[in-house]
Amino acid sequence: MTKSQRTALAVLSAAMLMTILDGSIVTVAMPAIQEDLGFSPAGLSWTVNAYLIAFGGLLLLAGRLGDLIGRKTMFVTGTVVFTVASVLAGVASTPAVLVGARFLQGVGSAIAASVVLGILVTIFIEPHQRATAIGVFSFTGAAGASIGQVLGGVLTDALNWHWIFLINVPIGALTVLVAVRALPADRGLGWSAGADVLGAALVTVGLMLGIYTVVEVERYGWVSAHTLGLGALAAALLAAFVLRQATAANPLLPLRIFRSRTVSGANVVQMLTLAAMFAFQIIVALYLQKVLGYNALQTGLAMLPAAVAIGGVSLFASARLITRFGERAVLIAGLSLLLAGMSWLTRLPVDAGYLTDVLPVMVAVSGGGLVLPALTALGMSGADADDAGLASGLFNTTQQVGMAIGVAVLSTLAAARTGTELVAGASDAAALTSGYRLAFTVAAGLLAAAMIVSVLVLRKRHTSEEATAAQAVPAF
């Protein structure tokens, strides 16, 4: 790996570290934010939901724009937008300002993150170098989760919650300065190559509306007029988008990309896996704080072994294992570890001991260090140079949709079970634990489904000879 390649990888990793850190750092600071700004319980969730809606809704469009106008331009622009939004979030004094800033952060993250894979495709051509880059990126994602949770606790306890956003400012500014010089220039294909305005509008509005509907399920319920009505409208918009892509001269998402079983299967597996593991990250943090009584810093430290394990495996083992055994085999092995850890949580007691009940799970999720690199390689395996941004945007979109669905479904089930237990006379701790156990049971089912798809759909490959790219996936 040359010096210029290392510098470019460092820049892209720093940007993704900032994105991942921002997603995890908020979870431990939410009680402090609620108390300071006067959020209602339902309103507080929008500090996460606003980000998810913007991020997930814009990724596909942003990825294609990167192909058209240049990925370096998109990356730098997105990083600038995210950094400015972080300043706004850091100085927010009302719920409305904070939610608006979080939405703008999601916009910036979508613009920057959507083209990272496309940039790396052009930088890392030799298979082993790409496998190494994937390991570094997965390590960055895990480090972002770890640093976010620990740093969130430190900053919130030692200073105040405002600094969990302001910490992004120096990272973002330095990333922009280095990216301008370090990233290779690219002119893009030009607007004539695929400026499908109608398709862009349909998919962006459809995805945003769909994610909004999912994240509001906990508030309105699955069979409410709000959920069913908006869900049907979102489905109709996305169906119209698919029809548009089948007939447009320059489609935003050429349907040919789905002809690859590997690419399609990898995206399905990613949705299932991220639905389980992103919800796991949030629900475990809630269990540690609401049931075991941990504070923000203790929660971050308690979850630190998981991120260290994921990072260590992805950085030191994943590239070698993928090169030797192939992405599919490594993916299945990683999913097996994740499933074992999630199954362990289904028996979580009210008075859990950290060493006996929690730490084994934090070690088992080291499987994420195998799953993330393998999925990234498979998800980008069918993309050529012209469609790299598109494939990157698609991969990131399924990632965000999976995360949003997982949080909405599992938190809703947990809340419903907790309510039932409280009515039956259970204590608060027992009722909460029962709800969380149900969520972990469903998460285990999602991981089992991901393993089945991996076995039946993904083709067996013994080496990493096909084109791959790398991605820092949100953390577990």
Side-chain angles (χ1 to χ4, degrees), residues 228-445:
L228 295 178
L230 292 184
L233 179 57
L237 289 171
L238 293 175
F241 167 72
V242 173
L243 293 176
R244 169 69 180 176
Q245 300 316 287
T247 58
N250 295 309
L252 177 67
L253 177 61
L255 299 183
R256 65 177 181 273
I257 197 170
F258 295 107
R259 294 173 184 170
S260 168
R261 288 180 56 181
T262 300
V263 172
S264 298
N267 277 277
V268 171
V269 171
Q270 178 177 233
M271 285 187 66
L272 293 169
T273 303
L274 267 294
M277 298 311 298
F278 187 67
F280 153 81
Q281 176 182 317
I282 293 176
I283 293 175
V284 163
L286 291 173
Y287 171 79
L288 293 174
Q289 293 186 62
K290 292 189 174 183
V291 177
L292 299 187
Y294 287 23
N295 61 29
L297 177 57
Q298 290 171 329
T299 300
L301 292 174
M303 298 182 69
L304 180 60
V308 172
I310 295 171
V313 171
S314 63
L315 186 61
F316 299 110
S318 63
R320 296 176 183 177
L321 293 174
I322 288 173
T323 301
R324 181 172 181 180
F325 298 106
E327 293 91 342
R328 178 178 176 270
V330 171
L331 172 62
I332 293 172
L335 287 172
S336 299
L337 286 172
L338 293 180
L339 180 57
M342 199 63 63
S343 299
W344 184 263
L345 286 176
T346 61
R347 50 159 295 280
L348 202 63
V350 174
D351 55 347
Y354 180 76
L355 293 178
T356 56
D357 297 303
V358 179
L359 184 58
V361 179
M362 300 302 168
V363 175
V365 297
S366 62
L370 300 177
V371 170
L372 305 183
L375 271 179
T376 302
L378 291 166
M380 289 295 293
S381 61
D384 57 30
D386 290 343
D387 287 338
L390 166 65
S392 173
L394 174 63
F395 194 72
N396 280 290
T397 298
T398 58
Q399 175 188 116
Q400 294 302 312
V401 170
M403 290 164 59
I405 292 175
V407 172
V409 173
L410 271 65
S411 61
T412 299
L413 292 173
R417 171 64 66 84
T418 296
T420 301
E421 292 293 319
L422 288 173
V423 171
S427 65
D428 289 348
L432 286 169
T433 302
S434 178
Y436 297 150
R437 282 200 297 259
L438 175 61
F440 294 137
T441 300
V442 175

Side-chain angles (χ1 to χ4, degrees), residues 182-221:
L183 296 184
D186 60 313
R187 299 180 59 184
L189 301 174
W191 289 107
S192 61
D196 181 12
V197 177
L198 177 58
L202 288 171
V203 72
T204 301
V205 176
L207 284 172
M208 283 190 171
L209 185 59
I211 296 172
Y212 165 78
T213 303
V214 170
V215 299
E216 285 287 85
V217 162
E218 185 174 357
R219 179 180 178 186
Y220 291 99

Side-chain angles (χ1 to χ4, degrees), residues 21-100:
L21 183 148
D22 187 73
S24 62
I25 202 171
V26 175
T27 58
V28 296
M30 288 176 70
I33 293 173
Q34 182 178 17
E35 181 178 354
D36 188 29
L37 297 187
F39 270 102
S40 67
L44 182 64
S45 65
W46 280 97
T47 60
V48 175
N49 295 344
Y51 182 88
L52 286 176
I53 290 171
F55 194 12
L58 290 172
L59 278 166
L60 192 58
L61 172 59
R64 189 54 178 170
L65 288 177
D67 290 334
L68 300 180
I69 68 176
R71 297 173 196 125
K72 179 178 179 178
T73 299
M74 290 290 288
F75 178 82
V76 172
T77 300
T79 305
V80 169
V81 171
F82 180 87
T83 305
V84 171
S86 295
V87 175
L88 295 177
V91 301
S93 58
T94 65
V97 172
L98 181 57
V99 170

